[in-house]
Amino acid sequence: HVQLVESGGDLVHSGGSLRLSCVESGPVYEHNYMAWFRQVTGTEREGVAAISAAGDTTYYGDFVKGRFTVSQDKAKRTLYLQMTDLNPEDTAMYYCAAGSPWTQHQAMSRWGYNYWGQGTQVTVS
């Protein structure tokens, strides 16, 4: 089965940067999208960024405001999230997801994805 493993989470100061990675392994499926979500305990999982399989379409949560960039290396089966100008409100567990959502709304919704990683913690002080 498909497995997603995130890495790169860390404790950083406000204004700092991080790059998260998500490596996919197992059977190769043609996902329409891969995405990053984040969740704070007790709140809903929210979409951070999504990228189409071709890499020609990206979506970002409104809170990103140009600070984050999603990208992928298909040859390495790796998804990235470059985050800059981090602030304490970005503190959360960040999850990688893969799936085949049909609309933009679905691409930024947890219900559009059926494969998930275990998460990597980002803490901004």
Side-chain angles (χ1 to χ4, degrees):
H1 58 280
V2 172
Q3 288 190 310
L4 303 173
V5 179
E6 304 95 333
S7 63
D10 205 345
L11 169 64
V12 296
H13 293 301
S14 291
S17 299
L18 280 176
R19 188 176 83 154
L20 306 183
S21 300
C22 170
V23 178
E24 180 182 4
S25 62
V28 175
Y29 288 106
E30 292 298 326
H31 312 295
N32 284 356
Y33 278 85
M34 293 192 72
W36 289 98
F37 287 78
R38 69 184 189 182
Q39 187 171 25
V40 176
T41 303
T43 68
E44 290 292 316
R45 191 169 295 189
E46 65 177 345
V48 177
I51 186 167
S52 63
D56 55 355
T57 301
T58 56
Y59 301 119
Y60 293 93
D62 291 340
F63 58 86
V64 169
K65 298 181 180 178
R67 300 179 299 132
F68 301 172
T69 302
V70 62
S71 62
Q72 61 189 354
D73 185 328
K74 302 286 281 187
K76 295 181 178 179
R77 299 181 71 187
T78 301
L79 179 73
Y80 302 100
L81 183 68
Q82 179 68 50
M83 302 188 294
T84 63
D85 194 22
L86 287 162
N87 59 65
E89 289 70 37
D90 295 315
T91 295
M93 185 72 78
Y94 282 70
Y95 297 91
C96 170
S100 296
W102 288 101
T103 66
Q104 177 178 350
H105 176 75
Q106 286 185 348
M108 293 297 283
S109 167
R110 64 178 300 175
W111 308 111
Y113 299 86
N114 50 345
Y115 296 105
W116 293 88
Q118 293 300 307
T120 185
Q121 178 67 38
V122 172
T123 303
V124 185
S125 63

